[in-house]
Amino acid sequence: MERLPNLIGLDLAELTAILEAQGFERFRATQIWSWLYVRGAQDFAEMTSLSKLARAKLADHFTLERPTITTHQKSEDGTQKWLLKMPDGQEVESVHIPEEDRGALCVSSQVGCTLTCRFCHTGTQRLVRNLSAAEIVGQVLIARDALKEWALPDASATPRLLTNIVLMGMGEPLYNYDNVAKALRIIMHSDGIAIGKRRITLSTSGVVPMIERCGSELDVNLAISLHAVTDELRDQIVPLNRKYPIAELLKACRTYPGVSNTRRITFEYIMLKGVNDSPADARQLVRLLRGIPAKINLIPFNPWPGAAFDCPDWSVIENFGDIVNAAGYASPIRTPRGRDIMAACGQLKSASLKLSATERAEIDRLIAEKDQAQGLEISPISSRKNTGSGD
Ligand code: SAH
Ligand code: SF4
């Protein structure tokens, strides 16, 4: 049977056009938009400002398809993780991280990731495809359902649980720019979910040619997964660096539209024991970022089965942070959240995995294959250590 078009994930202009084509008056589009993105309607039957006949006609021609929840876990620190199934059976994860008076939803942009950052669990996933705008928006809808945050009377009276969006889940958002941009426009729309651009942060591993466009078209906050201060090391741990080296990446940051001292770029720096965590690295980081309005987010490495890195001792991370701080940069250490449910940064992967030696070899082969497909020259990963855990 032919699948009916989904109204979720269309922007307002597209929604208007598709409804008009079925003979609905123009103003119906704004009404339906509001049912979808202010009230969180999951079924046309809920749309009681429309006649029964109109609702039946909508149901005959369209769907309101969302991802379905495969599993839902809650961490002891309040972090929640959803494993969501898309219509084609592929799965992605989204994570809600509550803070005292606000909360961020960490959204995925792709199933898996074509890139293969060596410390990231998602990079070891075989299947990769872009998520559609509907699938990206769908993650926000599901979180709002779970947090019961639809149509609250007064936003200022009750602190909201979902105030911010971070594109830091699975996938490289700038490799799926069009769908991400469309989803963000829907999420930002002031007559709907209305999460503003200042509350949205897009994290990229450094797709330099797309950075300017992201700033000029979407004007969201930018986070850069820097993680190393020399090309030699970054080539190894963030292989995309072989295409877009540090100097080019930082050049794009210097000219990021809207960047200023009140709107800084976040540089994410994962702390890997004995790899990038020395005081000399910290000093070089400060030198590199000179002149860029920046804050530095130190991310303790979050382990996953088969990972070839360790997290440094806390004192090492603090010492690194102190050096960066003394140079005038805010350098918060990102508290690992939801580690007990594998919801922390870089732990996301939509199939659980215990690695045997053969599987480890298979993953290495897969990574080499992915790097090659990206046109990234293959070289041995000299920084990869033997963890002594039988791999
Ligand atoms: N692909 C994008 C966004 C998703 S990753 C990007 O790379 O920026 C979100 C952040 O988590 C990135 O900074 C990433 O480098 C970091 N990360 C990946 N694996 C990690 C791990 N095992 N521990 C801690 N952070 C990790
Ligand atoms: Fe992809 Fe980001 Fe993971 Fe790198 S860190 S493999 S870019 S998801």
Side-chain angles (χ1 to χ4, degrees):
M1 205 180 76
E2 208 186 314
R3 280 175 54 192
L4 299 174
N6 189 7
L7 296 188
I8 307 272
L10 302 180
D11 61 30
L12 188 51
E14 289 170 334
L15 182 68
T16 310
I18 204 172
L19 289 169
E20 278 191 324
Q22 284 300 339
F24 286 92
E25 300 111 303
R26 227 185 147 71
F27 76 96
R28 294 289 177 205
T30 23
Q31 248 180 350
I32 293 170
W33 181 270
S34 172
W35 277 109
L36 296 180
Y37 300 121
V38 178
R39 311 286 287 267
Q42 298 191 34
D43 199 307
F44 293 111
E46 293 172 48
M47 302 184 176
T48 46
S49 59
L50 287 100
S51 71
K52 263 201 173 141
L53 205 66
R55 284 180 260 158
K57 184 172 166 187
L58 285 170
D60 281 346
H61 290 92
F62 307 109
T63 61
L64 299 177
E65 191 168 57
R66 297 179 180 204
T68 55
I69 301 173
T70 307
T71 53
H72 172 211
Q73 288 168 283
K74 195 162 183 174
S75 154
E76 49 200 32
D77 68 17
T79 302
Q80 300 190 62
K81 180 170 91 167
W82 294 271
L83 176 63
L84 301 176
K85 197 185 281 255
M86 302 301 158
D88 66 350
Q90 300 277 357
E91 295 184 309
V92 299
E93 293 179 321
S94 23
V95 178
H96 177 256
I97 307 133
E99 307 275 350
E100 216 154 272
D101 53 352
R102 61 201 177 108
L105 185 71
C106 179
V107 167
S108 292
S109 56
Q110 298 182 306
V111 173
C113 187
T114 50
L115 297 169
T116 52
C117 303
R118 297 302 192 257
F119 42 78
C120 175
H121 206 193
T122 308
T124 64
Q125 194 167 323
R126 174 172 288 284
L127 280 163
V128 182
R129 76 161 170 83
N130 282 335
L131 292 180
S132 67
E135 291 167 334
I136 298 168
V137 172
Q139 297 173 56
V140 180
L141 302 183
I142 284 180
R144 273 228 162 147
D145 292 346
L147 299 166
K148 302 200 174 25
E149 286 218 312
W150 290 113
L152 293 184
D154 179 3
S156 55
T158 27
R160 296 288 174 112
L161 298 167
L162 205 177
T163 53
N164 293 59
I165 302 278
V166 295
L167 279 142
M168 295 186 183
M170 298 163 64
E172 170 47 59
L174 294 187
Y175 269 1
N176 184 19
Y177 180 80
D178 290 339
N179 293 340
V180 166
K182 191 169 176 196
L184 289 184
R185 287 196 186 99
I186 295 170
I187 292 164
M188 289 192 262
H189 199 287
S190 56
D191 298 323
I193 297 171
I195 296 179
K197 59 188 184 181
R198 303 273 152 146
R199 293 176 177 274
I200 297 178
T201 302
L202 183 147
S203 172
T204 178
S205 57
V207 186
V208 169
M210 297 304 294
I211 288 179
E212 201 277 331
R213 200 168 155 205
C214 172
S216 60
E217 293 183 357
L218 301 172
D219 199 22
V220 292
N221 303 321
L222 183 67
I224 299 284
S225 293
L226 189 62
H227 306 321
V229 293
T230 62
D231 282 324
E232 197 191 355
L233 178 61
R234 199 163 188 270
D235 279 352
Q236 300 293 313
I237 62 175
V238 183
L240 187 62
N241 195 68
R242 298 173 207 164
K243 234 183 199 162
Y244 309 117
I246 293 175
E248 282 181 35
L249 178 57
L250 295 183
K251 195 165 153 223
C253 292
R254 281 176 214 282
T255 53
Y256 186 65
V259 70
S260 72
N261 277 329
T262 53
R263 209 171 179 216
R264 294 164 189 269
I265 294 177
T266 302
F267 287 88
E268 298 165 279
Y269 193 93
I270 190 170
M271 300 295 296
L272 304 171
K273 187 173 186 168
V275 176
N276 65 353
D277 60 349
S278 72
D281 289 316
R283 288 190 291 270
Q284 178 60 12
L285 179 60
V286 168
R287 275 195 289 272
L288 272 182
L289 298 186
R290 199 163 286 155
I292 303 178
K295 51 190 172 196
I296 294 153
N297 213 189
L298 299 178
I299 315 177
F301 169 68
N302 289 311
W304 41 271
F309 298 101
D310 295 314
C311 183
D313 293 339
W314 203 253
S315 59
V316 172
I317 303 180
E318 277 181 341
N319 190 29
F320 194 101
D322 289 345
I323 295 172
V324 174
N325 218 271
Y329 292 100
S331 57
I333 301 171
R334 190 180 289 175
T335 327
R337 301 289 302 266
R339 267 190 183 177
D340 55 329
I341 56 167
M342 288 287 286
C345 303
Q347 292 184 313
L348 304 185
K349 182 175 181 196
S350 41
S352 65
L353 188 82
K354 272 216 180 84
L355 292 185
S356 67
T358 344
E359 285 162 334
R360 175 77 259 169
E362 172 62 13
I363 283 189
D364 283 346
R365 203 181 54 73
L366 170 74
I367 286 177
E369 235 174 64
K370 281 195 188 179
D371 282 354
Q372 202 165 30
Q374 293 286 320
L376 303 168
E377 138 228 353
I378 300 167
S379 55
I381 306 301
S382 54
S383 58
R384 172 171 278 172
K385 293 175 299 158
N386 190 336
T387 56
S389 56
D391 56 357

Short mmCIF file of all heavy atoms in Angstrom, two decimals, residues 306-307 354-361 385-391:
data_model
loop_
_atom_site.label_atom_id
_atom_site.label_comp_id
_atom_site.label_asym_id
_atom_site.label_seq_id
_atom_site.Cartn_x
_atom_site.Cartn_y
_atom_site.Cartn_z
N GLY A 306 35.11 -1.88 24.33
CA GLY A 306 36.04 -1.97 23.21
C GLY A 306 36.80 -0.70 22.94
O GLY A 306 37.65 -0.66 22.04
N ALA A 307 36.54 0.38 23.68
CA ALA A 307 37.24 1.64 23.42
C ALA A 307 38.72 1.51 23.78
O ALA A 307 39.08 0.80 24.71
CB ALA A 307 36.61 2.77 24.22
N LYS A 354 29.17 -6.58 22.80
CA LYS A 354 30.30 -7.06 23.60
C LYS A 354 31.31 -7.57 22.59
O LYS A 354 30.99 -8.36 21.74
CB LYS A 354 29.84 -8.22 24.50
CG LYS A 354 29.31 -7.78 25.83
CD LYS A 354 29.71 -8.81 26.92
CE LYS A 354 29.18 -8.40 28.26
NZ LYS A 354 27.79 -8.85 28.44
N LEU A 355 32.54 -7.10 22.71
CA LEU A 355 33.46 -7.37 21.63
C LEU A 355 34.35 -8.58 21.86
O LEU A 355 35.02 -8.68 22.88
CB LEU A 355 34.36 -6.16 21.42
CG LEU A 355 33.71 -4.91 20.87
CD1 LEU A 355 34.76 -3.86 20.61
CD2 LEU A 355 32.96 -5.22 19.60
N SER A 356 34.38 -9.46 20.91
CA SER A 356 35.40 -10.50 20.89
C SER A 356 36.53 -9.97 20.01
O SER A 356 36.38 -8.94 19.36
CB SER A 356 34.82 -11.77 20.28
OG SER A 356 34.54 -11.53 18.91
N ALA A 357 37.66 -10.69 19.97
CA ALA A 357 38.78 -10.24 19.16
C ALA A 357 38.38 -10.14 17.69
O ALA A 357 38.75 -9.20 16.98
CB ALA A 357 39.96 -11.20 19.33
N THR A 358 37.59 -11.09 17.23
CA THR A 358 37.16 -11.06 15.82
C THR A 358 36.29 -9.84 15.55
O THR A 358 36.41 -9.19 14.52
CB THR A 358 36.29 -12.32 15.50
OG1 THR A 358 36.46 -13.27 16.52
CG2 THR A 358 36.54 -12.84 14.14
N GLU A 359 35.42 -9.53 16.51
CA GLU A 359 34.56 -8.37 16.31
C GLU A 359 35.37 -7.08 16.31
O GLU A 359 35.10 -6.15 15.56
CB GLU A 359 33.48 -8.33 17.40
CG GLU A 359 32.39 -9.35 17.18
CD GLU A 359 31.57 -9.63 18.43
OE1 GLU A 359 32.09 -9.45 19.55
OE2 GLU A 359 30.42 -10.04 18.28
N ARG A 360 36.39 -7.04 17.19
CA ARG A 360 37.27 -5.87 17.23
C ARG A 360 37.93 -5.68 15.85
O ARG A 360 37.97 -4.58 15.31
CB ARG A 360 38.33 -6.09 18.33
CG ARG A 360 39.39 -5.06 18.46
CD ARG A 360 38.93 -3.81 19.17
NE ARG A 360 38.65 -2.76 18.20
CZ ARG A 360 38.04 -1.63 18.50
NH1 ARG A 360 37.57 -1.41 19.70
NH2 ARG A 360 37.85 -0.72 17.58
N ALA A 361 38.43 -6.79 15.31
CA ALA A 361 39.09 -6.73 13.99
C ALA A 361 38.09 -6.26 12.94
O ALA A 361 38.42 -5.46 12.06
CB ALA A 361 39.65 -8.10 13.63
N LYS A 385 45.96 2.56 21.99
CA LYS A 385 46.72 1.73 22.92
C LYS A 385 46.07 0.37 23.05
O LYS A 385 44.88 0.22 22.85
CB LYS A 385 46.76 2.39 24.30
CG LYS A 385 47.56 3.66 24.29
CD LYS A 385 47.45 4.31 25.63
CE LYS A 385 45.99 4.64 25.92
NZ LYS A 385 45.66 4.80 27.28
N ASN A 386 46.88 -0.57 23.44
CA ASN A 386 46.30 -1.87 23.76
C ASN A 386 45.79 -1.81 25.19
O ASN A 386 46.54 -1.56 26.12
CB ASN A 386 47.38 -2.95 23.61
CG ASN A 386 46.77 -4.32 23.71
OD1 ASN A 386 45.70 -4.48 24.30
ND2 ASN A 386 47.43 -5.30 23.13
N THR A 387 44.53 -2.00 25.36
CA THR A 387 43.95 -1.85 26.70
C THR A 387 44.20 -3.09 27.56
O THR A 387 43.88 -3.11 28.74
CB THR A 387 42.43 -1.63 26.63
OG1 THR A 387 41.89 -2.73 25.91
CG2 THR A 387 42.10 -0.35 25.93
N GLY A 388 44.74 -4.12 26.95
CA GLY A 388 45.02 -5.33 27.69
C GLY A 388 43.77 -6.10 28.07
O GLY A 388 43.80 -6.99 28.91
N SER A 389 42.65 -5.74 27.45
CA SER A 389 41.40 -6.40 27.82
C SER A 389 41.06 -7.49 26.81
O SER A 389 39.91 -7.83 26.61
CB SER A 389 40.27 -5.39 27.92
OG SER A 389 40.16 -4.70 26.69
N GLY A 390 42.08 -8.03 26.18
CA GLY A 390 41.87 -9.15 25.29
C GLY A 390 41.55 -8.76 23.86
O GLY A 390 41.22 -9.60 23.07
N ASP A 391 41.67 -7.46 23.52
CA ASP A 391 41.36 -7.07 22.15
C ASP A 391 42.60 -6.85 21.31
O ASP A 391 43.70 -6.92 21.80
CB ASP A 391 40.47 -5.81 22.11
CG ASP A 391 41.08 -4.63 22.85
OD1 ASP A 391 42.19 -4.83 23.43
OD2 ASP A 391 40.48 -3.56 22.88
#
